Amino acid sequence: MENRVYKVGVVGATGMVGQRFVSLLEHHPWFELAAVAASARSAGKTYEQAVAGRWAMPTPLPECAKSLTVLNASDVQAVAGQVDFVFCAVDMKKDEIRALEEAYAKAECPVVSNNSANRGVSDVPMVVPEINAAHIGIIPAQRRRLGTRRGFIAVKSNCSLQSYVPALHPLMADFGVKRVLVCTYQAISGAGKTFATWPEMADNCIPYIGGEEEKSEQEPLKLWGSIQNDRIVPASSPAITAQCLRVPVSDGHMAAVFADFERKPSKEEILARWAAFRGPAQELGLPSAPKRFLHYFEEPDRPQTRLDRDTEHGMAVCIGRLREDTQYDYKFVCLSHNTLRGAAGGGVLLAELLAQKGYFA
């Protein structure tokens, strides 16, 4: 990567994930926050005015953002003209998001998206940098389709699978993961809420999150897929079935995982693979990458959401309770921070990978 700092915009900057992007950019060594954009009702205000009374981050509003004038997210040229690329975290209908992100890409402004609208597009890379960094190699094909020179869209995967897919990944090659059952217990910040804005969630659990189970079952297969003839072809296995529940937790998605293997490993083999695993994000020394991606806890009551979600600045995945099962080969529990590793932090890490590989040049 050339030695430069990129000017960055956040589209959808007033929402929960947009706020997280803004907070993560405050002291970033490669990226400088240069523009914030949101809906028409926020446009024209300073960012400080636009988020007054609804700043949901645990850290104070960054000084670098306070006086920025919020632009209208739909004024693509105005935003694109001020930045080298944008993070997108808008709250709109899927077809509207897809159109907006394509408009930015066609304005020669690369888009790193937290949204799901373009995840199913076959030439849009959906990347967890430790798992499938090579998928960014599809970008030249996408540029040919869009007719762009530097504009493109890259997305991060759904927050619900960021906890358990990284734990399965190091076991795939040697042992062949055959089928997976997963139940996720997801924090309210995944819905863009806090307990102050969603008091109904106190002392409550909702056994339904719209679209989440389908994403949890299908998106891992794209992550484990391969580039063929200018498209990403999803893997055909493992077979995954999921149930997703909303639980009264502020941040942190937990997953209870059951897995069968083509060749059943020993518990020691699984723990060794987890301990040794390093992905491209670690090999490249990306600024937001955890030093160690997978942390295994020996204690029977760990990982715990409140104690462990911030491991390695919320960018690591925590695992525990690995044991043999009566129906599946093994079962275990995973935890990841859903607005850091699962959302904005994962987006920043993907942008670091793209920058390091020269895609913003």
Side-chain angles (χ1 to χ4, degrees):
M1 185 188 79
E2 63 205 277
N3 186 17
R4 61 171 288 191
V5 172
Y6 294 91
K7 292 189 179 299
V8 182
V10 177
V11 180
T14 57
M16 174 96 55
V17 176
Q19 291 180 24
R20 184 67 82 175
F21 273 122
V22 168
S23 67
L24 290 174
L25 291 171
E26 184 176 15
H27 301 297
H28 197 282
W30 296 0
F31 304 148
E32 176 191 330
L33 182 66
V36 289
S39 65
R41 66 178 176 274
S42 295
K45 300 176 182 177
T46 65
Y47 187 68
E48 186 174 28
Q49 291 169 337
V51 297
R54 58 190 187 111
W55 179 252
M57 295 298 104
T59 51
L61 182 63
E63 290 295 327
C64 64
K66 285 182 178 179
S67 61
L68 289 176
T69 299
V70 179
L71 303 173
N72 190 325
S74 61
D75 193 351
V76 173
Q77 294 295 339
V79 180
Q82 296 187 30
V83 299
D84 295 308
F85 72 93
V86 296
F87 291 111
C88 189
V90 293
D91 183 11
M92 299 161 59
K93 294 177 182 174
K94 273 195 180 182
D95 56 343
E96 295 173 349
I97 296 172
R98 195 174 295 120
L100 183 68
E101 291 180 349
E102 277 213 6
Y104 275 94
K106 288 179 177 177
E108 300 294 1
C109 180
V111 177
V112 178
S113 179
N114 184 69
N115 300 108
S116 64
N118 276 298
R119 287 183 200 150
V121 179
S122 62
D123 62 7
V124 172
M126 180 178 69
V127 177
V128 176
E130 286 87 352
I131 292 174
N132 65 328
H135 281 196
I136 63 175
I138 198 71
I139 289 172
Q142 185 195 141
R143 282 172 168 161
R144 287 193 293 274
R145 173 175 65 85
L146 295 175
T148 59
R149 182 185 60 81
R150 68 183 295 274
F152 65 87
I153 302 163
V155 300
K156 50 152 292 299
S157 61
N158 186 263
C159 55
S160 66
L161 54 92
Q162 299 276 346
S163 55
Y164 64 91
V165 167
L168 292 169
H169 183 70
L171 311 176
M172 300 277 288
D174 291 342
F175 310 117
V177 180
K178 189 165 56 175
R179 64 179 186 137
V180 176
L181 183 153
V182 61
C183 296
T184 63
Y185 306 90
Q186 300 185 206
I188 63 173
S189 56
K193 305 283 190 180
T194 64
F195 285 112
T197 60
W198 201 4
E200 300 88 350
M201 274 308 301
D203 191 30
N204 196 18
C205 181
I206 299 176
Y208 174 73
I209 305 172
E212 203 77 356
E213 287 160 2
E214 295 83 355
K215 294 171 190 172
S216 297
E217 293 169 356
Q218 295 164 12
E219 288 187 15
L221 299 178
K222 183 172 182 178
L223 290 176
W224 287 321
S226 59
I227 297 175
Q228 301 174 27
N229 301 320
D230 290 350
R231 58 194 295 263
I232 297 167
V233 178
S236 57
S237 64
I240 303 172
T241 184
Q243 286 207 104
C244 300
L245 289 74
R246 188 74 71 192
V247 295
V249 165
S250 58
D251 293 299
H253 287 356
M254 190 168 275
V257 186
F258 302 76
D260 266 342
F261 298 88
E262 301 287 351
R263 180 179 81 78
K264 183 179 177 179
S266 68
K267 181 177 178 180
E268 291 70 29
E269 285 177 309
I270 294 176
L271 293 175
R273 296 302 191 282
W274 285 342
F277 182 69
R278 286 166 59 83
Q282 285 72 39
E283 304 293 347
L284 295 169
L286 300 179
S288 297
K291 295 281 188 294
R292 183 171 173 181
F293 187 28
L294 306 176
H295 289 245
Y296 185 79
F297 290 79
E298 297 286 352
E299 299 92 331
D301 61 350
R302 303 282 288 276
Q304 289 182 26
T305 306
R306 194 163 62 179
L307 295 181
D308 302 314
R309 62 191 168 201
D310 292 318
T311 300
E312 297 220 34
H313 306 289
M315 291 298 287
V317 171
C318 298
I319 314 170
R321 302 204 69 208
L322 174 65
R323 60 220 191 275
E324 292 191 60
D325 183 57
T326 57
Q327 307 296 316
Y328 286 74
D329 288 336
Y330 284 97
K331 55 189 171 186
F332 53 91
V333 173
C334 297
L335 171 72
S336 65
H337 195 303
N338 58 296
T339 70
L340 286 166
R341 167 56 73 166
V348 171
L349 187 64
L350 171 53
E352 292 167 1
L353 174 69
L354 292 162
Q356 207 277 339
K357 294 295 185 180
Y359 284 92
F360 297 143

